[in-house]
Amino acid sequence: MHISFGPFRLDSANRRLLRGVDVVPLRPKAFALLDHLAARPGRLVTKEQLLAAIWPGTSVTDTVLKVSVREIGAALDDDSETPRYIETAHRLGYRFVGHVSPTNLPATVSS
């Protein structure tokens, strides 16, 4: 399934974030985090839930999560002060606030 938001398309099956036909580079954990949040638009996902979903069975600090959120913000050209896609609920977690359009259309392949 693909999720579209703004100029972006999240291709979960192929683990790619696309802007038009261009692949936007994200490390695997940052992609997994974006995928997890975008699949739950408007819903607050706690830090504990994210750590359990993205880093299961691994002991990591909140800093690891914050670094991944910053990487996503940079990839989406999002501003933490006035977020268009990822909103921080301080000390609680994160929320995907972008307007999403789910689609099952295949991703465009670039040469």
Side-chain angles (χ1 to χ4, degrees):
M1 174 128 121
H2 301 120
I3 298 172
S4 296
F5 55 95
F8 300 99
R9 190 169 59 252
L10 195 61
D11 178 0
S12 298
N14 293 304
R15 315 242 350 125
R16 296 187 308 172
L17 174 64
L18 301 153
R19 183 178 191 139
V21 296
D22 298 323
V23 175
V24 179
L26 278 178
R27 290 182 294 176
K29 292 295 185 183
F31 180 89
L33 178 59
L34 176 58
D35 191 43
H36 191 82
L37 289 170
R40 294 156 182 79
R43 197 167 109 201
L44 175 68
V45 183
T46 68
K47 293 186 288 185
E48 293 77 16
Q49 291 169 327
L50 290 170
L51 291 171
I54 309 305
W55 292 272
T58 305
S59 179
V60 296
T61 65
D62 287 357
T63 303
V64 173
L65 181 57
K66 289 176 187 176
V67 167
S68 291
V69 169
R70 276 194 297 255
E71 180 182 347
I72 294 166
L76 300 177
D77 198 25
D78 207 6
D79 178 12
S80 62
E81 296 299 317
T82 54
R84 291 176 292 151
Y85 303 113
I86 307 281
E87 176 183 77
T88 301
H90 294 286
R91 299 183 187 196
L92 297 174
Y94 299 92
R95 179 182 292 116
F96 191 88
V97 294
H99 175 74
V100 298
S101 301
T103 177
N104 287 321
L105 298 174
T108 305
V109 177
S110 61
S111 55

